[in-house]
Amino acid sequence: GIYVCAKCGHELFSSRAKYEHSSPWPAFTETLRGDSVAKREERPGALKVTCGKCGNGLGHEFLNDGPRRGQSRF
């Protein structure tokens, strides 16, 4: 399936990129497309992530915290 922004319906993530993580929120290794999200550095190792279309807050991208070495976690 496809995960979309709750505010505007913009496509964000594919269920193929979803994986189990210890956080209570869904975790993804990559966005659906390059324009799915916008990012800005919030602190070292963490980027603030918003919808690429409407700017709705989506949480964070944690760098090098994915299921494999070098992968990010959204």
Side-chain angles (χ1 to χ4, degrees), residues 10-13 31 33-42 47-61 74:
H10 188 60
E11 295 182 340
L12 304 170
F13 304 100
T31 61
R33 297 188 308 263
D35 69 347
S36 292
V37 302
K39 308 173 196 180
R40 69 173 171 78
E41 186 171 9
E42 186 170 77
L47 306 175
K48 184 71 175 168
V49 179
T50 57
C51 173
K53 183 176 181 182
C54 74
N56 188 36
L58 301 173
H60 294 86
E61 176 182 3
F74 289 88

mmCIF file with all atom_site columns, all heavy atoms in Angstrom, residues 10-13 31 33-42 47-61 74:
data_model
loop_
_atom_site.group_PDB
_atom_site.id
_atom_site.type_symbol
_atom_site.label_atom_id
_atom_site.label_alt_id
_atom_site.label_comp_id
_atom_site.label_asym_id
_atom_site.label_entity_id
_atom_site.label_seq_id
_atom_site.pdbx_PDB_ins_code
_atom_site.Cartn_x
_atom_site.Cartn_y
_atom_site.Cartn_z
_atom_site.occupancy
_atom_site.B_iso_or_equiv
_atom_site.pdbx_formal_charge
_atom_site.auth_seq_id
_atom_site.auth_comp_id
_atom_site.auth_asym_id
_atom_site.auth_atom_id
_atom_site.pdbx_PDB_model_num
ATOM 1   N N   . HIS A 1 10 ? -0.999 13.708 -0.310 1.00 0.00 ? 10 HIS A N   1
ATOM 2   C CA  . HIS A 1 10 ? 0.232  13.545 -1.099 1.00 0.00 ? 10 HIS A CA  1
ATOM 3   C C   . HIS A 1 10 ? 0.884  12.204 -0.743 1.00 0.00 ? 10 HIS A C   1
ATOM 4   O O   . HIS A 1 10 ? 0.982  11.838 0.434  1.00 0.00 ? 10 HIS A O   1
ATOM 5   C CB  . HIS A 1 10 ? 1.177  14.710 -0.783 1.00 0.00 ? 10 HIS A CB  1
ATOM 6   C CG  . HIS A 1 10 ? 2.395  14.784 -1.635 1.00 0.00 ? 10 HIS A CG  1
ATOM 7   N ND1 . HIS A 1 10 ? 2.352  14.934 -2.991 1.00 0.00 ? 10 HIS A ND1 1
ATOM 8   C CD2 . HIS A 1 10 ? 3.710  14.750 -1.296 1.00 0.00 ? 10 HIS A CD2 1
ATOM 9   C CE1 . HIS A 1 10 ? 3.591  14.988 -3.464 1.00 0.00 ? 10 HIS A CE1 1
ATOM 10  N NE2 . HIS A 1 10 ? 4.423  14.869 -2.453 1.00 0.00 ? 10 HIS A NE2 1
ATOM 11  N N   . GLU A 1 11 ? 1.343  11.447 -1.743 1.00 0.00 ? 11 GLU A N   1
ATOM 12  C CA  . GLU A 1 11 ? 1.963  10.140 -1.514 1.00 0.00 ? 11 GLU A CA  1
ATOM 13  C C   . GLU A 1 11 ? 3.341  10.300 -0.883 1.00 0.00 ? 11 GLU A C   1
ATOM 14  O O   . GLU A 1 11 ? 4.183  11.040 -1.393 1.00 0.00 ? 11 GLU A O   1
ATOM 15  C CB  . GLU A 1 11 ? 2.051  9.376  -2.821 1.00 0.00 ? 11 GLU A CB  1
ATOM 16  C CG  . GLU A 1 11 ? 0.675  9.033  -3.379 1.00 0.00 ? 11 GLU A CG  1
ATOM 17  C CD  . GLU A 1 11 ? 0.736  8.219  -4.657 1.00 0.00 ? 11 GLU A CD  1
ATOM 18  O OE1 . GLU A 1 11 ? 1.774  8.211  -5.338 1.00 0.00 ? 11 GLU A OE1 1
ATOM 19  O OE2 . GLU A 1 11 ? -0.286 7.586  -4.969 1.00 0.00 ? 11 GLU A OE2 1
ATOM 20  N N   . LEU A 1 12 ? 3.564  9.566  0.218  1.00 0.00 ? 12 LEU A N   1
ATOM 21  C CA  . LEU A 1 12 ? 4.790  9.711  1.003  1.00 0.00 ? 12 LEU A CA  1
ATOM 22  C C   . LEU A 1 12 ? 5.685  8.475  0.994  1.00 0.00 ? 12 LEU A C   1
ATOM 23  O O   . LEU A 1 12 ? 6.858  8.557  0.663  1.00 0.00 ? 12 LEU A O   1
ATOM 24  C CB  . LEU A 1 12 ? 4.430  10.043 2.457  1.00 0.00 ? 12 LEU A CB  1
ATOM 25  C CG  . LEU A 1 12 ? 3.546  11.265 2.673  1.00 0.00 ? 12 LEU A CG  1
ATOM 26  C CD1 . LEU A 1 12 ? 3.082  11.326 4.122  1.00 0.00 ? 12 LEU A CD1 1
ATOM 27  C CD2 . LEU A 1 12 ? 4.273  12.526 2.264  1.00 0.00 ? 12 LEU A CD2 1
ATOM 28  N N   . PHE A 1 13 ? 5.132  7.341  1.416  1.00 0.00 ? 13 PHE A N   1
ATOM 29  C CA  . PHE A 1 13 ? 5.910  6.118  1.603  1.00 0.00 ? 13 PHE A CA  1
ATOM 30  C C   . PHE A 1 13 ? 5.177  4.917  1.026  1.00 0.00 ? 13 PHE A C   1
ATOM 31  O O   . PHE A 1 13 ? 3.960  4.883  0.999  1.00 0.00 ? 13 PHE A O   1
ATOM 32  C CB  . PHE A 1 13 ? 6.155  5.853  3.095  1.00 0.00 ? 13 PHE A CB  1
ATOM 33  C CG  . PHE A 1 13 ? 6.818  6.970  3.834  1.00 0.00 ? 13 PHE A CG  1
ATOM 34  C CD1 . PHE A 1 13 ? 6.079  7.851  4.612  1.00 0.00 ? 13 PHE A CD1 1
ATOM 35  C CD2 . PHE A 1 13 ? 8.185  7.147  3.767  1.00 0.00 ? 13 PHE A CD2 1
ATOM 36  C CE1 . PHE A 1 13 ? 6.676  8.880  5.307  1.00 0.00 ? 13 PHE A CE1 1
ATOM 37  C CE2 . PHE A 1 13 ? 8.802  8.178  4.459  1.00 0.00 ? 13 PHE A CE2 1
ATOM 38  C CZ  . PHE A 1 13 ? 8.045  9.044  5.222  1.00 0.00 ? 13 PHE A CZ  1
ATOM 39  N N   . THR A 1 31 ? 11.557 7.334  1.100  1.00 0.00 ? 31 THR A N   1
ATOM 40  C CA  . THR A 1 31 ? 10.305 7.941  0.650  1.00 0.00 ? 31 THR A CA  1
ATOM 41  C C   . THR A 1 31 ? 9.900  7.339  -0.683 1.00 0.00 ? 31 THR A C   1
ATOM 42  O O   . THR A 1 31 ? 10.711 6.696  -1.362 1.00 0.00 ? 31 THR A O   1
ATOM 43  C CB  . THR A 1 31 ? 10.454 9.460  0.503  1.00 0.00 ? 31 THR A CB  1
ATOM 44  O OG1 . THR A 1 31 ? 11.464 9.738  -0.464 1.00 0.00 ? 31 THR A OG1 1
ATOM 45  C CG2 . THR A 1 31 ? 10.807 10.108 1.828  1.00 0.00 ? 31 THR A CG2 1
ATOM 46  N N   . ARG A 1 33 ? 8.947  9.028  -3.465 1.00 0.00 ? 33 ARG A N   1
ATOM 47  C CA  . ARG A 1 33 ? 9.591  9.802  -4.545 1.00 0.00 ? 33 ARG A CA  1
ATOM 48  C C   . ARG A 1 33 ? 10.486 10.867 -3.927 1.00 0.00 ? 33 ARG A C   1
ATOM 49  O O   . ARG A 1 33 ? 10.385 11.168 -2.741 1.00 0.00 ? 33 ARG A O   1
ATOM 50  C CB  . ARG A 1 33 ? 8.532  10.473 -5.412 1.00 0.00 ? 33 ARG A CB  1
ATOM 51  C CG  . ARG A 1 33 ? 7.616  9.517  -6.150 1.00 0.00 ? 33 ARG A CG  1
ATOM 52  C CD  . ARG A 1 33 ? 6.717  10.259 -7.132 1.00 0.00 ? 33 ARG A CD  1
ATOM 53  N NE  . ARG A 1 33 ? 6.013  11.362 -6.523 1.00 0.00 ? 33 ARG A NE  1
ATOM 54  C CZ  . ARG A 1 33 ? 4.763  11.315 -6.060 1.00 0.00 ? 33 ARG A CZ  1
ATOM 55  N NH1 . ARG A 1 33 ? 4.077  10.192 -6.112 1.00 0.00 ? 33 ARG A NH1 1
ATOM 56  N NH2 . ARG A 1 33 ? 4.201  12.380 -5.533 1.00 0.00 ? 33 ARG A NH2 1
ATOM 57  N N   . GLY A 1 34 ? 11.299 11.471 -4.751 1.00 0.00 ? 34 GLY A N   1
ATOM 58  C CA  . GLY A 1 34 ? 12.179 12.534 -4.277 1.00 0.00 ? 34 GLY A CA  1
ATOM 59  C C   . GLY A 1 34 ? 11.444 13.746 -3.739 1.00 0.00 ? 34 GLY A C   1
ATOM 60  O O   . GLY A 1 34 ? 11.944 14.438 -2.855 1.00 0.00 ? 34 GLY A O   1
ATOM 61  N N   . ASP A 1 35 ? 10.241 14.021 -4.252 1.00 0.00 ? 35 ASP A N   1
ATOM 62  C CA  . ASP A 1 35 ? 9.480  15.186 -3.794 1.00 0.00 ? 35 ASP A CA  1
ATOM 63  C C   . ASP A 1 35 ? 8.408  14.824 -2.767 1.00 0.00 ? 35 ASP A C   1
ATOM 64  O O   . ASP A 1 35 ? 7.559  15.649 -2.436 1.00 0.00 ? 35 ASP A O   1
ATOM 65  C CB  . ASP A 1 35 ? 8.848  15.910 -4.974 1.00 0.00 ? 35 ASP A CB  1
ATOM 66  C CG  . ASP A 1 35 ? 7.728  15.118 -5.653 1.00 0.00 ? 35 ASP A CG  1
ATOM 67  O OD1 . ASP A 1 35 ? 7.584  13.901 -5.391 1.00 0.00 ? 35 ASP A OD1 1
ATOM 68  O OD2 . ASP A 1 35 ? 6.994  15.715 -6.456 1.00 0.00 ? 35 ASP A OD2 1
ATOM 69  N N   . SER A 1 36 ? 8.438  13.614 -2.241 1.00 0.00 ? 36 SER A N   1
ATOM 70  C CA  . SER A 1 36 ? 7.427  13.197 -1.265 1.00 0.00 ? 36 SER A CA  1
ATOM 71  C C   . SER A 1 36 ? 7.499  14.016 0.015  1.00 0.00 ? 36 SER A C   1
ATOM 72  O O   . SER A 1 36 ? 6.482  14.350 0.611  1.00 0.00 ? 36 SER A O   1
ATOM 73  C CB  . SER A 1 36 ? 7.581  11.713 -0.921 1.00 0.00 ? 36 SER A CB  1
ATOM 74  O OG  . SER A 1 36 ? 7.247  10.910 -2.024 1.00 0.00 ? 36 SER A OG  1
ATOM 75  N N   . VAL A 1 37 ? 8.710  14.314 0.451  1.00 0.00 ? 37 VAL A N   1
ATOM 76  C CA  . VAL A 1 37 ? 8.898  15.062 1.697  1.00 0.00 ? 37 VAL A CA  1
ATOM 77  C C   . VAL A 1 37 ? 9.918  16.179 1.499  1.00 0.00 ? 37 VAL A C   1
ATOM 78  O O   . VAL A 1 37 ? 10.707 16.159 0.567  1.00 0.00 ? 37 VAL A O   1
ATOM 79  C CB  . VAL A 1 37 ? 9.364  14.153 2.862  1.00 0.00 ? 37 VAL A CB  1
ATOM 80  C CG1 . VAL A 1 37 ? 8.382  13.027 3.125  1.00 0.00 ? 37 VAL A CG1 1
ATOM 81  C CG2 . VAL A 1 37 ? 10.748 13.604 2.639  1.00 0.00 ? 37 VAL A CG2 1
ATOM 82  N N   . ALA A 1 38 ? 9.887  17.127 2.430  1.00 0.00 ? 38 ALA A N   1
ATOM 83  C CA  . ALA A 1 38 ? 10.918 18.160 2.540  1.00 0.00 ? 38 ALA A CA  1
ATOM 84  C C   . ALA A 1 38 ? 11.624 17.922 3.866  1.00 0.00 ? 38 ALA A C   1
ATOM 85  O O   . ALA A 1 38 ? 11.018 17.422 4.825  1.00 0.00 ? 38 ALA A O   1
ATOM 86  C CB  . ALA A 1 38 ? 10.291 19.548 2.496  1.00 0.00 ? 38 ALA A CB  1
ATOM 87  N N   . LYS A 1 39 ? 12.913 18.264 3.939  1.00 0.00 ? 39 LYS A N   1
ATOM 88  C CA  . LYS A 1 39 ? 13.698 18.008 5.145  1.00 0.00 ? 39 LYS A CA  1
ATOM 89  C C   . LYS A 1 39 ? 14.516 19.233 5.506  1.00 0.00 ? 39 LYS A C   1
ATOM 90  O O   . LYS A 1 39 ? 14.943 19.978 4.634  1.00 0.00 ? 39 LYS A O   1
ATOM 91  C CB  . LYS A 1 39 ? 14.680 16.853 4.926  1.00 0.00 ? 39 LYS A CB  1
ATOM 92  C CG  . LYS A 1 39 ? 14.079 15.596 4.385  1.00 0.00 ? 39 LYS A CG  1
ATOM 93  C CD  . LYS A 1 39 ? 15.192 14.618 4.056  1.00 0.00 ? 39 LYS A CD  1
ATOM 94  C CE  . LYS A 1 39 ? 14.726 13.499 3.170  1.00 0.00 ? 39 LYS A CE  1
ATOM 95  N NZ  . LYS A 1 39 ? 15.823 12.569 2.862  1.00 0.00 ? 39 LYS A NZ  1
ATOM 96  N N   . ARG A 1 40 ? 14.723 19.419 6.807  1.00 0.00 ? 40 ARG A N   1
ATOM 97  C CA  . ARG A 1 40 ? 15.651 20.446 7.285  1.00 0.00 ? 40 ARG A CA  1
ATOM 98  C C   . ARG A 1 40 ? 16.337 19.906 8.534  1.00 0.00 ? 40 ARG A C   1
ATOM 99  O O   . ARG A 1 40 ? 15.726 19.162 9.328  1.00 0.00 ? 40 ARG A O   1
ATOM 100 C CB  . ARG A 1 40 ? 14.953 21.766 7.550  1.00 0.00 ? 40 ARG A CB  1
ATOM 101 C CG  . ARG A 1 40 ? 14.013 21.759 8.712  1.00 0.00 ? 40 ARG A CG  1
ATOM 102 C CD  . ARG A 1 40 ? 13.475 23.175 9.011  1.00 0.00 ? 40 ARG A CD  1
ATOM 103 N NE  . ARG A 1 40 ? 12.415 23.117 9.983  1.00 0.00 ? 40 ARG A NE  1
ATOM 104 C CZ  . ARG A 1 40 ? 12.586 22.969 11.298 1.00 0.00 ? 40 ARG A CZ  1
ATOM 105 N NH1 . ARG A 1 40 ? 13.795 22.858 11.798 1.00 0.00 ? 40 ARG A NH1 1
ATOM 106 N NH2 . ARG A 1 40 ? 11.554 22.929 12.120 1.00 0.00 ? 40 ARG A NH2 1
ATOM 107 N N   . GLU A 1 41 ? 17.588 20.265 8.695  1.00 0.00 ? 41 GLU A N   1
ATOM 108 C CA  . GLU A 1 41 ? 18.329 19.756 9.852  1.00 0.00 ? 41 GLU A CA  1
ATOM 109 C C   . GLU A 1 41 ? 17.764 20.356 11.132 1.00 0.00 ? 41 GLU A C   1
ATOM 110 O O   . GLU A 1 41 ? 17.563 21.555 11.237 1.00 0.00 ? 41 GLU A O   1
ATOM 111 C CB  . GLU A 1 41 ? 19.815 20.074 9.743  1.00 0.00 ? 41 GLU A CB  1
ATOM 112 C CG  . GLU A 1 41 ? 20.612 19.435 10.860 1.00 0.00 ? 41 GLU A CG  1
ATOM 113 C CD  . GLU A 1 41 ? 22.109 19.548 10.687 1.00 0.00 ? 41 GLU A CD  1
ATOM 114 O OE1 . GLU A 1 41 ? 22.553 20.266 9.784  1.00 0.00 ? 41 GLU A OE1 1
ATOM 115 O OE2 . GLU A 1 41 ? 22.828 18.920 11.470 1.00 0.00 ? 41 GLU A OE2 1
ATOM 116 N N   . GLU A 1 42 ? 17.468 19.482 12.073 1.00 0.00 ? 42 GLU A N   1
ATOM 117 C CA  . GLU A 1 42 ? 16.973 19.932 13.368 1.00 0.00 ? 42 GLU A CA  1
ATOM 118 C C   . GLU A 1 42 ? 18.062 19.820 14.423 1.00 0.00 ? 42 GLU A C   1
ATOM 119 O O   . GLU A 1 42 ? 18.193 20.673 15.279 1.00 0.00 ? 42 GLU A O   1
ATOM 120 C CB  . GLU A 1 42 ? 15.748 19.127 13.777 1.00 0.00 ? 42 GLU A CB  1
ATOM 121 C CG  . GLU A 1 42 ? 15.119 19.652 15.053 1.00 0.00 ? 42 GLU A CG  1
ATOM 122 C CD  . GLU A 1 42 ? 13.784 19.034 15.342 1.00 0.00 ? 42 GLU A CD  1
ATOM 123 O OE1 . GLU A 1 42 ? 13.763 17.875 15.807 1.00 0.00 ? 42 GLU A OE1 1
ATOM 124 O OE2 . GLU A 1 42 ? 12.779 19.703 15.105 1.00 0.00 ? 42 GLU A OE2 1
ATOM 125 N N   . LEU A 1 47 ? 16.768 14.928 11.006 1.00 0.00 ? 47 LEU A N   1
ATOM 126 C CA  . LEU A 1 47 ? 16.193 15.946 10.136 1.00 0.00 ? 47 LEU A CA  1
ATOM 127 C C   . LEU A 1 47 ? 14.696 16.043 10.404 1.00 0.00 ? 47 LEU A C   1
ATOM 128 O O   . LEU A 1 47 ? 14.019 15.022 10.578 1.00 0.00 ? 47 LEU A O   1
ATOM 129 C CB  . LEU A 1 47 ? 16.406 15.576 8.667  1.00 0.00 ? 47 LEU A CB  1
ATOM 130 C CG  . LEU A 1 47 ? 17.837 15.287 8.241  1.00 0.00 ? 47 LEU A CG  1
ATOM 131 C CD1 . LEU A 1 47 ? 17.853 14.814 6.799  1.00 0.00 ? 47 LEU A CD1 1
ATOM 132 C CD2 . LEU A 1 47 ? 18.708 16.500 8.419  1.00 0.00 ? 47 LEU A CD2 1
ATOM 133 N N   . LYS A 1 48 ? 14.163 17.248 10.448 1.00 0.00 ? 48 LYS A N   1
ATOM 134 C CA  . LYS A 1 48 ? 12.726 17.460 10.566 1.00 0.00 ? 48 LYS A CA  1
ATOM 135 C C   . LYS A 1 48 ? 12.125 17.190 9.196  1.00 0.00 ? 48 LYS A C   1
ATOM 136 O O   . LYS A 1 48 ? 12.622 17.673 8.184  1.00 0.00 ? 48 LYS A O   1
ATOM 137 C CB  . LYS A 1 48 ? 12.434 18.893 11.008 1.00 0.00 ? 48 LYS A CB  1
ATOM 138 C CG  . LYS A 1 48 ? 10.990 19.171 11.253 1.00 0.00 ? 48 LYS A CG  1
ATOM 139 C CD  . LYS A 1 48 ? 10.520 18.483 12.503 1.00 0.00 ? 48 LYS A CD  1
ATOM 140 C CE  . LYS A 1 48 ? 9.081  18.888 12.804 1.00 0.00 ? 48 LYS A CE  1
ATOM 141 N NZ  . LYS A 1 48 ? 8.496  18.052 13.810 1.00 0.00 ? 48 LYS A NZ  1
ATOM 142 N N   . VAL A 1 49 ? 11.057 16.396 9.130  1.00 0.00 ? 49 VAL A N   1
ATOM 143 C CA  . VAL A 1 49 ? 10.450 15.992 7.864  1.00 0.00 ? 49 VAL A CA  1
ATOM 144 C C   . VAL A 1 49 ? 9.028  16.541 7.787  1.00 0.00 ? 49 VAL A C   1
ATOM 145 O O   . VAL A 1 49 ? 8.254  16.421 8.737  1.00 0.00 ? 49 VAL A O   1
ATOM 146 C CB  . VAL A 1 49 ? 10.433 14.447 7.733  1.00 0.00 ? 49 VAL A CB  1
ATOM 147 C CG1 . VAL A 1 49 ? 9.777  14.010 6.442  1.00 0.00 ? 49 VAL A CG1 1
ATOM 148 C CG2 . VAL A 1 49 ? 11.849 13.891 7.816  1.00 0.00 ? 49 VAL A CG2 1
ATOM 149 N N   . THR A 1 50 ? 8.700  17.140 6.639  1.00 0.00 ? 50 THR A N   1
ATOM 150 C CA  . THR A 1 50 ? 7.354  17.643 6.388  1.00 0.00 ? 50 THR A CA  1
ATOM 151 C C   . THR A 1 50 ? 6.879  17.138 5.029  1.00 0.00 ? 50 THR A C   1
ATOM 152 O O   . THR A 1 50 ? 7.681  16.729 4.187  1.00 0.00 ? 50 THR A O   1
ATOM 153 C CB  . THR A 1 50 ? 7.314  19.180 6.395  1.00 0.00 ? 50 THR A CB  1
ATOM 154 O OG1 . THR A 1 50 ? 8.228  19.679 5.418  1.00 0.00 ? 50 THR A OG1 1
ATOM 155 C CG2 . THR A 1 50 ? 7.679  19.744 7.762  1.00 0.00 ? 50 THR A CG2 1
ATOM 156 N N   . CYS A 1 51 ? 5.581  17.184 4.810  1.00 0.00 ? 51 CYS A N   1
ATOM 157 C CA  . CYS A 1 51 ? 5.011  16.795 3.524  1.00 0.00 ? 51 CYS A CA  1
ATOM 158 C C   . CYS A 1 51 ? 5.602  17.685 2.441  1.00 0.00 ? 51 CYS A C   1
ATOM 159 O O   . CYS A 1 51 ? 5.690  18.902 2.597  1.00 0.00 ? 51 CYS A O   1
ATOM 160 C CB  . CYS A 1 51 ? 3.492  16.932 3.573  1.00 0.00 ? 51 CYS A CB  1
ATOM 161 S SG  . CYS A 1 51 ? 2.678  16.676 1.976  1.00 0.00 ? 51 CYS A SG  1
ATOM 162 N N   . GLY A 1 52 ? 5.992  17.087 1.338  1.00 0.00 ? 52 GLY A N   1
ATOM 163 C CA  . GLY A 1 52 ? 6.572  17.831 0.232  1.00 0.00 ? 52 GLY A CA  1
ATOM 164 C C   . GLY A 1 52 ? 5.585  18.717 -0.499 1.00 0.00 ? 52 GLY A C   1
ATOM 165 O O   . GLY A 1 52 ? 5.983  19.597 -1.257 1.00 0.00 ? 52 GLY A O   1
ATOM 166 N N   . LYS A 1 53 ? 4.298  18.523 -0.262 1.00 0.00 ? 53 LYS A N   1
ATOM 167 C CA  . LYS A 1 53 ? 3.280  19.319 -0.949 1.00 0.00 ? 53 LYS A CA  1
ATOM 168 C C   . LYS A 1 53 ? 2.713  20.421 -0.053 1.00 0.00 ? 53 LYS A C   1
ATOM 169 O O   . LYS A 1 53 ? 2.690  21.578 -0.433 1.00 0.00 ? 53 LYS A O   1
ATOM 170 C CB  . LYS A 1 53 ? 2.151  18.418 -1.446 1.00 0.00 ? 53 LYS A CB  1
ATOM 171 C CG  . LYS A 1 53 ? 1.090  19.145 -2.230 1.00 0.00 ? 53 LYS A CG  1
ATOM 172 C CD  . LYS A 1 53 ? 0.054  18.186 -2.786 1.00 0.00 ? 53 LYS A CD  1
ATOM 173 C CE  . LYS A 1 53 ? -0.991 18.930 -3.605 1.00 0.00 ? 53 LYS A CE  1
ATOM 174 N NZ  . LYS A 1 53 ? -2.012 17.988 -4.101 1.00 0.00 ? 53 LYS A NZ  1
ATOM 175 N N   . CYS A 1 54 ? 2.255  20.068 1.157  1.00 0.00 ? 54 CYS A N   1
ATOM 176 C CA  . CYS A 1 54 ? 1.559  21.046 2.003  1.00 0.00 ? 54 CYS A CA  1
ATOM 177 C C   . CYS A 1 54 ? 2.341  21.502 3.228  1.00 0.00 ? 54 CYS A C   1
ATOM 178 O O   . CYS A 1 54 ? 1.926  22.418 3.918  1.00 0.00 ? 54 CYS A O   1
ATOM 179 C CB  . CYS A 1 54 ? 0.192  20.509 2.424  1.00 0.00 ? 54 CYS A CB  1
ATOM 180 S SG  . CYS A 1 54 ? 0.260  19.212 3.693  1.00 0.00 ? 54 CYS A SG  1
ATOM 181 N N   . GLY A 1 55 ? 3.463  20.835 3.539  1.00 0.00 ? 55 GLY A N   1
ATOM 182 C CA  . GLY A 1 55 ? 4.268  21.224 4.695  1.00 0.00 ? 55 GLY A CA  1
ATOM 183 C C   . GLY A 1 55 ? 3.806  20.652 6.027  1.00 0.00 ? 55 GLY A C   1
ATOM 184 O O   . GLY A 1 55 ? 4.346  21.008 7.075  1.00 0.00 ? 55 GLY A O   1
ATOM 185 N N   . ASN A 1 56 ? 2.825  19.756 6.019  1.00 0.00 ? 56 ASN A N   1
ATOM 186 C CA  . ASN A 1 56 ? 2.347  19.124 7.244  1.00 0.00 ? 56 ASN A CA  1
ATOM 187 C C   . ASN A 1 56 ? 3.497  18.379 7.933  1.00 0.00 ? 56 ASN A C   1
ATOM 188 O O   . ASN A 1 56 ? 4.276  17.684 7.289  1.00 0.00 ? 56 ASN A O   1
ATOM 189 C CB  . ASN A 1 56 ? 1.214  18.150 6.905  1.00 0.00 ? 56 ASN A CB  1
ATOM 190 C CG  . ASN A 1 56 ? 0.516  17.594 8.121  1.00 0.00 ? 56 ASN A CG  1
ATOM 191 O OD1 . ASN A 1 56 ? 0.336  18.278 9.110  1.00 0.00 ? 56 ASN A OD1 1
ATOM 192 N ND2 . ASN A 1 56 ? 0.117  16.333 8.029  1.00 0.00 ? 56 ASN A ND2 1
ATOM 193 N N   . GLY A 1 57 ? 3.627  18.511 9.247  1.00 0.00 ? 57 GLY A N   1
ATOM 194 C CA  . GLY A 1 57 ? 4.698  17.854 9.995  1.00 0.00 ? 57 GLY A CA  1
ATOM 195 C C   . GLY A 1 57 ? 4.545  16.344 10.011 1.00 0.00 ? 57 GLY A C   1
ATOM 196 O O   . GLY A 1 57 ? 3.467  15.833 10.304 1.00 0.00 ? 57 GLY A O   1
ATOM 197 N N   . LEU A 1 58 ? 5.636  15.640 9.684  1.00 0.00 ? 58 LEU A N   1
ATOM 198 C CA  . LEU A 1 58 ? 5.610  14.175 9.624  1.00 0.00 ? 58 LEU A CA  1
ATOM 199 C C   . LEU A 1 58 ? 6.551  13.514 10.619 1.00 0.00 ? 58 LEU A C   1
ATOM 200 O O   . LEU A 1 58 ? 6.604  12.294 10.695 1.00 0.00 ? 58 LEU A O   1
ATOM 201 C CB  . LEU A 1 58 ? 5.973  13.704 8.209  1.00 0.00 ? 58 LEU A CB  1
ATOM 202 C CG  . LEU A 1 58 ? 5.074  14.201 7.089  1.00 0.00 ? 58 LEU A CG  1
ATOM 203 C CD1 . LEU A 1 58 ? 5.658  13.801 5.746  1.00 0.00 ? 58 LEU A CD1 1
ATOM 204 C CD2 . LEU A 1 58 ? 3.669  13.670 7.256  1.00 0.00 ? 58 LEU A CD2 1
ATOM 205 N N   . GLY A 1 59 ? 7.321  14.289 11.342 1.00 0.00 ? 59 GLY A N   1
ATOM 206 C CA  . GLY A 1 59 ? 8.255  13.699 12.292 1.00 0.00 ? 59 GLY A CA  1
ATOM 207 C C   . GLY A 1 59 ? 9.690  13.942 11.877 1.00 0.00 ? 59 GLY A C   1
ATOM 208 O O   . GLY A 1 59 ? 10.052 15.050 11.492 1.00 0.00 ? 59 GLY A O   1
ATOM 209 N N   . HIS A 1 60 ? 10.500 12.893 11.924 1.00 0.00 ? 60 HIS A N   1
ATOM 210 C CA  . HIS A 1 60 ? 11.934 13.032 11.693 1.00 0.00 ? 60 HIS A CA  1
ATOM 211 C C   . HIS A 1 60 ? 12.488 11.939 10.782 1.00 0.00 ? 60 HIS A C   1
ATOM 212 O O   . HIS A 1 60 ? 11.900 10.874 10.664 1.00 0.00 ? 60 HIS A O   1
ATOM 213 C CB  . HIS A 1 60 ? 12.690 12.965 13.024 1.00 0.00 ? 60 HIS A CB  1
ATOM 214 C CG  . HIS A 1 60 ? 12.394 14.099 13.920 1.00 0.00 ? 60 HIS A CG  1
ATOM 215 N ND1 . HIS A 1 60 ? 11.306 14.087 14.772 1.00 0.00 ? 60 HIS A ND1 1
ATOM 216 C CD2 . HIS A 1 60 ? 13.010 15.283 14.101 1.00 0.00 ? 60 HIS A CD2 1
ATOM 217 C CE1 . HIS A 1 60 ? 11.284 15.233 15.441 1.00 0.00 ? 60 HIS A CE1 1
ATOM 218 N NE2 . HIS A 1 60 ? 12.299 15.971 15.052 1.00 0.00 ? 60 HIS A NE2 1
ATOM 219 N N   . GLU A 1 61 ? 13.632 12.226 10.207 1.00 0.00 ? 61 GLU A N   1
ATOM 220 C CA  . GLU A 1 61 ? 14.479 11.214 9.570  1.00 0.00 ? 61 GLU A CA  1
ATOM 221 C C   . GLU A 1 61 ? 15.701 11.091 10.467 1.00 0.00 ? 61 GLU A C   1
ATOM 222 O O   . GLU A 1 61 ? 16.390 12.079 10.724 1.00 0.00 ? 61 GLU A O   1
ATOM 223 C CB  . GLU A 1 61 ? 14.910 11.625 8.168  1.00 0.00 ? 61 GLU A CB  1
ATOM 224 C CG  . GLU A 1 61 ? 15.869 10.643 7.541  1.00 0.00 ? 61 GLU A CG  1
ATOM 225 C CD  . GLU A 1 61 ? 16.363 11.042 6.161  1.00 0.00 ? 61 GLU A CD  1
ATOM 226 O OE1 . GLU A 1 61 ? 16.014 12.130 5.679  1.00 0.00 ? 61 GLU A OE1 1
ATOM 227 O OE2 . GLU A 1 61 ? 17.115 10.256 5.568  1.00 0.00 ? 61 GLU A OE2 1
ATOM 228 N N   . PHE A 1 74 ? 12.766 6.840  8.722  1.00 0.00 ? 74 PHE A N   1
ATOM 229 C CA  . PHE A 1 74 ? 11.741 7.887  8.752  1.00 0.00 ? 74 PHE A CA  1
ATOM 230 C C   . PHE A 1 74 ? 10.679 7.473  9.738  1.00 0.00 ? 74 PHE A C   1
ATOM 231 O O   . PHE A 1 74 ? 10.350 6.304  9.867  1.00 0.00 ? 74 PHE A O   1
ATOM 232 C CB  . PHE A 1 74 ? 11.086 8.047  7.375  1.00 0.00 ? 74 PHE A CB  1
ATOM 233 C CG  . PHE A 1 74 ? 11.983 8.669  6.356  1.00 0.00 ? 74 PHE A CG  1
ATOM 234 C CD1 . PHE A 1 74 ? 12.824 7.887  5.606  1.00 0.00 ? 74 PHE A CD1 1
ATOM 235 C CD2 . PHE A 1 74 ? 11.981 10.037 6.164  1.00 0.00 ? 74 PHE A CD2 1
ATOM 236 C CE1 . PHE A 1 74 ? 13.644 8.453  4.637  1.00 0.00 ? 74 PHE A CE1 1
ATOM 237 C CE2 . PHE A 1 74 ? 12.795 10.621 5.201  1.00 0.00 ? 74 PHE A CE2 1
ATOM 238 C CZ  . PHE A 1 74 ? 13.628 9.818  4.442  1.00 0.00 ? 74 PHE A CZ  1
#
